[in-house]
Amino acid sequence: MTRTVYVNGVYMPEDKATVSIFDRGFLFADGVYEVTSVLDGKLIDFEGHALRLGRSLSELDMQSPIEMEDLLKVHRELVKTNSIEEGLIYLQITRGVASDRDFVYPSKDTPPTIVLFTQNKPGLADSPLAKVGIKVISISDQRWGRRDIKTVQLLYPSMGKMMAKAAGCDDAWMVENGTVTEGTSNNAYIVKGGKIVTRHLSNEILHGITRSAVLRFAREAQMEVEERAFTIKEAQDADEAFFTSASAFVMPVVEVDGRSIGIGTPGPVATRLREIYLEESRKVAV
Ligand code: PMP
């Protein structure tokens, strides 16, 4: 079935949607994005994603082509038209189409490009992988220094996923100056003696919307949380590990660099946090 997508104010079939070869997103990865999940046909954590989008745009001195209320309308319309019960909405905004290839930004009146499309993922919440957990390898973090901005320059994370795949694993945790920054497309956590440890916020990691919600739910459930960097050795010696992202929610990690975490199965903290996150965010989904 052909999807209906949204390009620069117009809903159209995916095979009719095109973007110029001079688009700054294509030539310079000069663009930002968001991924919002859909459960029961409703958007999860929409406000958080919209706020982060605004911040990413302003950090790059980029204009928004759309008001936030209209953005919600477009998300909802795409969910409805494409009959998405469980899945994802991808949104990308770039600095638009310059008249030629030039490192210097085009003039401020250049309209940004905005694209949204849906990804249908039946069974997203009831993921079989979450029941067994995933395996990660560690790789050195070779991304740029402003990882707090959600840009579309995802080549290194993509290479990281391929390295993980080649090693028979599911993902890679990136390490810089001896500590884990984050996963290729998620925030990383360990649990030791009941305490949840995850890296503190800075320019070194993306400020995950799921991270923020999960830490809030953990604290509300009287779980202890420490926001600090941790090493791969600590992860291997932890009782549990997991990651969070809008597309996988809370995902248990059962192996790091070939060493089982705990008894090598999803731990009680990750399992409980996944349940709480799904339950609570469904209640306030829009
Ligand atoms: N870190 C990175 C590098 C990511 O790409 C993502 C997901 N896009 C995350 C963390 C998780 O963020 P969120 O919970 O907002 O999906």
Side-chain angles (χ1 to χ4, degrees):
M1 204 181 82
T2 319
R3 268 176 289 198
T4 296
V5 304
Y6 178 89
V7 185
N8 297 328
V10 184
Y11 295 95
M12 59 178 80
E14 63 181 42
D15 52 2
K16 296 281 179 296
T18 54
V19 174
S20 161
I21 63 159
F22 295 111
D23 193 278
R24 299 266 315 174
F26 179 63
L27 294 177
F28 294 101
D30 188 359
V32 299
Y33 76 108
E34 281 296 330
V35 176
T36 305
S37 60
V38 177
L39 293 178
D40 317 318
K42 289 184 172 170
L43 300 157
I44 302 294
D45 280 336
F46 176 79
E47 198 186 350
H49 289 284
L51 286 171
R52 184 174 61 189
L53 174 68
R55 180 180 177 276
S56 294
L57 289 168
S58 87
E59 288 297 304
L60 294 174
D61 202 17
M62 213 183 269
Q63 324 273 14
S64 177
I66 191 163
E67 294 296 329
M68 287 307 159
E69 302 106 72
D70 293 331
L71 199 58
L72 178 56
K73 281 189 204 142
V74 175
H75 275 74
R76 283 189 168 144
E77 182 60 28
L78 286 177
V79 168
K80 201 170 113 204
T81 325
N82 294 295
S83 311
I84 307 292
E85 270 303 300
E86 289 199 3
L88 305 170
I89 310 229
Y90 177 85
L91 166 152
Q92 181 171 332
I93 297 176
T94 77
R95 205 180 302 275
V97 181
S99 53
D100 200 356
R101 182 175 183 273
D102 187 349
F103 281 76
V104 172
Y105 293 173
S107 72
K108 285 263 181 202
D109 54 20
T110 305
T113 300
I114 176 165
V115 167
L116 281 94
F117 58 82
T118 53
Q119 293 185 286
N120 193 25
K121 306 243 179 220
L124 188 67
D126 194 26
S127 152
L129 212 50
K131 294 183 178 72
V132 292
I134 66 138
K135 298 174 182 177
V136 303
I137 55 164
S138 64
I139 59 172
S140 95
D141 196 336
Q142 294 179 16
R143 298 172 300 161
W144 78 324
R146 288 302 306 274
R147 302 157 193 160
D148 56 310
I149 310 174
K150 198 164 169 62
T151 75
V152 296
Q153 29 166 341
L154 296 173
L155 182 55
Y156 190 71
S158 188
M159 289 167 73
K161 283 260 198 247
M162 294 311 290
M163 290 184 239
K165 211 174 155 196
C169 291
D170 308 282
D171 198 16
W173 278 8
M174 294 176 282
V175 175
E176 187 172 59
N177 300 323
T179 56
V180 174
T181 50
E182 56 190 332
T184 59
S185 58
N186 48 68
N187 291 114
Y189 305 72
I190 56 172
V191 183
K192 184 75 180 175
K195 190 195 284 175
I196 299 162
V197 180
T198 192
R199 197 180 181 93
H200 50 281
L201 296 179
S202 70
N203 291 352
E204 292 151 356
I205 63 168
L206 185 75
H207 302 187
I209 301 307
T210 321
R211 176 190 183 280
S212 156
V214 164
L215 291 187
R216 192 174 74 246
F217 295 140
R219 286 177 173 126
E220 281 169 12
Q222 315 300 328
M223 296 177 186
E224 204 184 336
V225 176
E226 192 180 356
E227 295 180 59
R228 64 158 173 90
F230 60 85
T231 63
I232 287 291
K233 170 88 174 50
E234 269 185 282
Q236 290 175 325
D237 294 340
D239 302 325
E240 291 183 41
F242 62 94
F243 75 68
T244 63
S245 73
S247 53
F249 314 115
V250 178
M251 180 61 70
V253 171
V254 295
E255 191 184 293
V256 176
D257 283 342
R259 280 261 312 268
S260 287
I261 314 288
I263 53 165
T265 56
V269 173
T271 305
R272 182 75 193 115
L273 281 175
R274 183 177 174 91
E275 283 166 7
I276 299 177
Y277 178 76
L278 286 171
E279 198 181 311
E280 294 302 316
S281 25
R282 276 183 144 128
K283 279 188 205 159
V284 292
V286 296

